Each structure stands twice: as C-alpha cells, then as structure tokens.
C-alpha cells in the first residue's frame, strides 16, 4: 500500500489529533456526571448494520466510575471554564466530547457515540432515502481516514468523479482524521441543492471536488440479464428493503430464462444481519447460515430450512471493500460449496454492532459479539480468500469501462454452465 502523504495539511491533522486526545482525556471522567445527573436508562431501539432490538437497563451502580472520577471531572471542567484563554467554551460541547471520548477509549472503531441529531440522521439513511451525494463509505484502518467504498450509480458522487478507495481527507475544510463514519456522513449530508466541498486523496494527489446534494434513493439491488442466459444481480448494501428487492430481482431473472447467476458484492459495506440472513435463505441449503458469540460465550444461531435453495450455477464477486454482512453471505456460500468466489480478499469485519438509545435521544453503537461462518470461521481482520483470485484493473475500467473482474466471473460461470 502506498505511503499516505500528510504534509499538505499536516497542521489540520495535528489539531484534529489534539482534539481527539483532549476529548478522551476529559471524557472518561464526565461520563459519571451524566450517569449521576441523568440516571441513564439505556434502551435499544434499533439494530441496523448487524443490530437487533431489545431493552437494556443501565441505571444501576454496576459500571459507575465512582465518586473520585466524578470529582475529577468537576475539577477539569472548572479549570477549563476559569483558565482556558478563550470564552467560547460551551459546557454542552464539553459533555458531548466526554461521551465521544469514552467510546473512543474502548479502542474499537465500530463503537461510537451519537448525539440526538446524529442518531436521527443515521436512522434516516437506514430507511432508504436522504439528501446527500450518494456514496458508500468505509474506514481505512491503516490510515485512520474514511474512504469511498463505491459511488452509487447515477449519483452526484459518481457524476463528480469520485472513485472507490478515494480517501476522504476533508469535508468543507474539516479534517476527517480519526472521525467515525457516521459523523463523516452527517458532514456530507445537508439541504437539497446545497454544495459540499470534499478533499480527496488518490494515488499521491489531493483533489478538491464540489458536489451538489440532492435526494438520494438508495438502490440496494440492481439486476440485468447478460449474454448466454446469465443473470447479474448486484447488492450494494443490506438494509430493511434489500430482501424484498433481491427477491424481485431473482424472480425477474428466472422469468428471463436465467441459467446461471453472477452475484456482485463488491464495494458492499454490509448492513443488517436480519436482512442478509433473509437473502441467504433464498440461496442456501438447509442448515446453519451464521452464528454469533458474545463475551459470555452465549451463542445465537441463524438457520435456513433449504426450501428456497438456489440450484443453478452461481459466481460471487468480492473485493477488499466487501465487508461485514457481505462477508457473512459470501462466506456461507463458500462453506456450502454453493458458488465460486471471484475477485480479491474481502475486508475482514467479523463482528456485530448494536444500537442503544438513551432518554435524551442520543445513542451509542457498540460491538457486542463476533460472528462465525457455518464452518466456524471467524474472518475478523482476516477476510475471505476468493476461490479464483482476480485483481481489479482500475485503469482499464476508468479509461474504457472494461470490468475485468466481471468478465472473469462470466468466464467461470460459463464453464460451470457447460
């Protein structure tokens, strides 16, 4: 992987790192104040991107940081308010920084705090439509910056020339170093017709692009018929509408005389466990789809009765941006030998998050368990190796539109159909 050049805007990055450090430093203490003042009762209301519903009570003493920490928080707040050289310090901002820092101190990039507004924005996007630029984003863990997983077809992001693996360096001049993905999305989204300036880092160069926001209808599933009675279905992400859209695409392919299927999961960042399991039940034989285990060893299994098992030749396209739920599906297909995986090694996210809300409308997204493929593989930080390796030729794709991975998938599928 190429070295990432920080020199252009190093000062901004250092400021961003300082702010994160400050938040983490003062945050652990102030969390107790929140527990003491608010008597927090945590209730889970939604799980998306591997989230499920249940209620959790966090109002008891277990988990409290104690009076010493609360007293230290009070002292730190007093020092900031009386000695910090500017008068623009807002107590509410300090509190929000403490909550964010507490989650960051866990050391898990998928465990995060959301303000009430950020949580509303997160839920809005999960329902299938929002005002933004139309790009799936992921975390580049090596660089600690967000990156473009893939622009949506026909979206403002695609029209502006954004590409998969572009590093999102700044949004309207704000450094995104170390920033949670959902917060990056909240910066990018805005009122319809307004413009957002995004600084990208691509192959040693910084690129400034201005993208006009508009309503984005999230196309979670795309379908078309290729030559030789091959069907092509692409799943862009797994949310609540995806199983219905996939079923429609599968039926349309069958009605068109499908004799083999290319299932494209490239650039798919994941989504709801329930959604991907519903889709797996349209493809897999009877048996285990996936199981999860939490830190107490509690195991939860998701199974398939095999009544809708896919009986035609199947090829699955994957790449380094295929993550989480897309790895769950491709891993199960590989374990059962239901299809051949073509492409490059997947991202390697084998953990499950849950969304928990607080009474004031804020929320946390927290990693609660690991998931395992039917054969017991945990692919976290490892990924899934394809059966047929085929690196993506980006130069050919962006200059002439030739998709070498798709052509390889068609070649493999054609052999399976003979």
């Amino acid at each position: 992987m190429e070295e990432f050049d920080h020199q252009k805007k190093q000062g901004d990055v250092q400021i961003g790192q300082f702010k994160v450090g400050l938040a983490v430093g003062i945050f652990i203490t102030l969390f107790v104040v929140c527990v003491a003042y608010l008597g927090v009762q945590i209730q889970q209301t939604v799980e998306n991107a591997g989230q499920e519903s249940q209620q959790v009570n966090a109002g008891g003493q277990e988990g409290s940081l104690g009076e010493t920490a609360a007293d230290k928080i009070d002292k730190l707040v007093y020092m900031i308010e009386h000695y910090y050289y500017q008068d623009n310090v807002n107590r509410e901002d300090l509190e929000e920084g403490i909550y964010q820092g507490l989650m960051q101190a866990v050391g898990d990039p998928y465990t995060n705090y959301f303000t009430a507004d950020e949580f509303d924005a997160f839920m809005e996007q999960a329902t299938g439509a929002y005002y933004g630029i139309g790009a799936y984003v992921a975390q580049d863990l090596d660089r600690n910056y967000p990156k473009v997983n893939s622009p949506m077809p026909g979206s403002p992001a695609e029209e502006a020339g954004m590409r998969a693996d572009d590093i999102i360096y700044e949004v309207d001049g704000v450094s995104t170093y170390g920033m949670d993905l959902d917060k990056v999305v909240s910066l990018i989204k805005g009122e319809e017709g307004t413009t957002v300036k995004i600084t990208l880092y691509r192959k040693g160069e910084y690129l400034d692009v201005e993208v006009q926001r508009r309503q984005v209808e999230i196309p979670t599933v795309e379908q078309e018929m290729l030559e030789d009675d091959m069907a092509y279905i692409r799943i862009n992400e797994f949310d609540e509408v995806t199983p219905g859209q996939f079923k429609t695409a599968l039926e349309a392919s069958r009605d068109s005389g499908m004799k083999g299927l290319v299932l494209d999961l490239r650039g798919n960042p994941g989504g709801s466990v329930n959604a991907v399991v519903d889709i797996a039940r349209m493809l897999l034989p009877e048996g285990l789809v996936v199981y999860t285990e939490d830190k107490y060893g509690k195991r939860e299994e998701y199974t398939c009765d095999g009544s809708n098992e896919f009986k035609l030749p199947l090829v699955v396209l994957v790449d380094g941006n295929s993550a989480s739920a897309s790895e769950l599906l491709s891993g199960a297909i590989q374990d059962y030998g239901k299809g051949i995986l073509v492409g490059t090694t997947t991202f390697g996210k084998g953990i499950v998050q849950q969304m928990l809300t607080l009474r004031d409308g804020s929320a946390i997204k927290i990693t609660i368990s690991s998931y395992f493929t039917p054969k017991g593989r945990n692919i976290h930080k490892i990924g899934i190796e394809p059966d047929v390796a085929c690196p993506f030729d980006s130069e050919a794709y962006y200059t002439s539109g030739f998709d070498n991975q798709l052509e390889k998938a068609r070649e493999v599928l054609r052999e399976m159909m003979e």
Side-chain angles (χ1 to χ4, degrees):
M1 177 178 294
E2 66 190 39
E3 182 178 358
F4 187 30
D5 179 12
H6 289 272
Q7 294 180 352
K8 178 179 179 247
K9 299 180 182 177
Q10 186 176 15
D12 291 339
V13 173
Q14 291 173 340
I15 292 172
Q17 292 172 324
F18 172 77
K19 289 180 179 178
V20 171
L22 177 62
V24 172
I26 64 176
F27 156 39
I28 294 178
T29 340
L30 197 60
F31 177 75
V32 181
V33 175
C34 299
V35 174
Y37 285 160
L38 300 177
V40 177
Q41 184 182 31
I42 298 178
Q43 177 185 358
Q44 176 186 355
T45 56
V46 64
E47 182 188 7
N48 202 359
Q51 305 137 353
E52 299 175 283
S53 295
Q54 70 180 63
Q55 289 188 345
V56 180
N57 190 328
Q61 291 299 314
E62 185 177 358
S64 172
L65 294 179
E67 293 183 3
T68 301
D71 182 61
K72 187 172 182 178
I73 288 174
D74 286 339
K75 287 184 171 64
L76 291 172
V77 172
Y78 176 86
M79 292 175 184
I80 291 172
E81 291 181 339
H82 287 78
Y83 296 108
Y84 184 63
Y85 81 110
Q86 291 185 353
D87 293 327
N88 59 352
V89 176
N90 183 288
R91 179 178 284 267
E92 184 176 331
D93 292 339
L94 289 178
E95 292 178 358
E96 297 295 346
I98 290 169
Y99 311 144
Q100 292 170 7
L102 184 59
M103 295 298 104
Q104 291 172 357
V106 173
D108 173 21
Y110 307 108
T111 293
N112 303 291
Y113 169 81
F114 296 79
T115 66
D117 289 342
E118 289 167 346
F119 178 63
D120 288 342
F122 174 84
M123 292 304 300
E124 179 186 76
Q125 184 171 354
T127 60
Y130 66 98
Y131 294 111
I133 66 170
Y136 299 105
V137 296
Q139 195 74 33
D140 188 310
L141 299 179
D142 293 330
R143 295 165 172 164
N144 207 15
Y145 276 89
K147 67 176 181 178
V148 177
N149 233 33
S150 62
M152 299 176 189
S155 67
E158 184 181 62
E159 294 167 1
M162 296 177 70
R163 300 179 182 179
D165 294 322
D166 281 348
I167 296 295
I168 302 175
Y169 187 76
E170 288 183 349
V171 178
D172 281 334
V174 177
S175 172
T176 61
Y177 180 80
M179 188 179 292
D180 173 61
L181 289 179
D182 298 299
K183 298 184 188 303
V184 175
V185 171
S186 69
L187 288 177
I188 294 174
K189 291 167 58 178
E191 295 184 7
E192 185 176 19
T194 59
T195 299
V196 59
K197 180 182 177 182
I198 301 177
T199 301
L200 304 172
Y201 177 84
R202 179 192 300 163
K203 295 183 178 180
E205 296 184 20
Y206 292 91
L207 306 171
D208 290 330
V209 296
E210 292 192 356
V211 191
Q212 188 177 63
R213 302 177 176 103
R214 65 172 183 255
Q215 183 167 340
V216 177
E217 300 285 344
I218 302 176
T220 63
V221 177
E222 305 168 38
Q223 183 270 345
E224 67 174 300
M225 292 300 297
L226 307 176
E227 296 177 354
D228 302 323
D229 296 321
M230 296 180 185
Y232 170 86
I233 298 178
R234 179 184 180 93
I235 304 177
N236 294 305
E237 67 176 347
F238 297 93
D239 64 28
E240 59 190 47
V241 301
T242 308
Q245 293 180 2
F246 180 76
K247 182 179 180 181
T248 299
L250 206 55
E251 291 173 348
S253 299
R254 288 192 174 106
D255 291 342
S256 299
M258 169 181 62
K259 294 181 181 178
L261 172 63
V262 175
L263 179 60
D264 194 347
L265 299 179
R266 292 176 297 174
N268 184 321
S272 164
V273 168
N274 289 331
V276 71
V277 168
D278 285 345
I279 290 173
R281 288 169 177 156
M282 303 180 207
L283 299 171
L284 297 180
E286 181 179 3
L288 192 63
V289 175
V290 66
Y291 67 92
T292 64
E293 286 186 359
D294 64 17
K295 67 179 180 180
Y296 304 106
K298 181 181 178 182
R299 174 165 166 160
E300 183 171 2
E301 297 183 350
Y302 298 81
T303 60
C304 173
D305 63 13
S307 59
N308 297 305
E309 181 180 356
F310 190 75
K311 298 293 183 67
L312 297 175
L314 172 65
V315 172
V316 182
L317 277 168
V318 294
D319 65 8
N321 291 323
S322 302
S324 192
S326 57
E327 294 176 287
L328 186 160
L329 180 59
S330 56
I333 289 172
Q334 190 179 58
D335 277 5
Y336 280 108
K338 288 299 301 180
I340 294 178
L341 272 56
V342 174
T344 55
T345 303
T346 61
F347 182 80
K349 181 177 181 288
I351 50 180
V352 179
Q353 283 72 50
Q354 191 171 55
M355 189 68 77
L356 306 173
T357 61
L358 288 82
R359 284 180 173 177
D360 63 357
S362 61
I364 64 168
K365 183 174 67 174
I366 187 167
T367 300
I368 60 167
S369 60
S370 299
Y371 78 73
F372 299 82
T373 70
K375 289 187 175 181
R377 291 187 292 166
N378 176 250
I379 52 82
H380 192 58
K381 296 184 178 180
I382 299 172
I384 297 173
E385 294 282 346
D387 301 300
V388 178
C390 180
F392 181 59
D393 188 344
S394 60
E395 184 176 353
Y397 182 78
Y398 289 113
T399 56
S400 64
F402 178 74
D403 187 340
N404 71 302
Q405 288 181 324
L406 177 56
E407 290 305 311
K408 185 64 176 180
R410 293 177 64 180
E411 176 186 323
V412 172
L413 185 60
R414 190 175 293 111
E415 293 176 356
M416 298 172 67
M417 293 167 58
E418 291 178 353

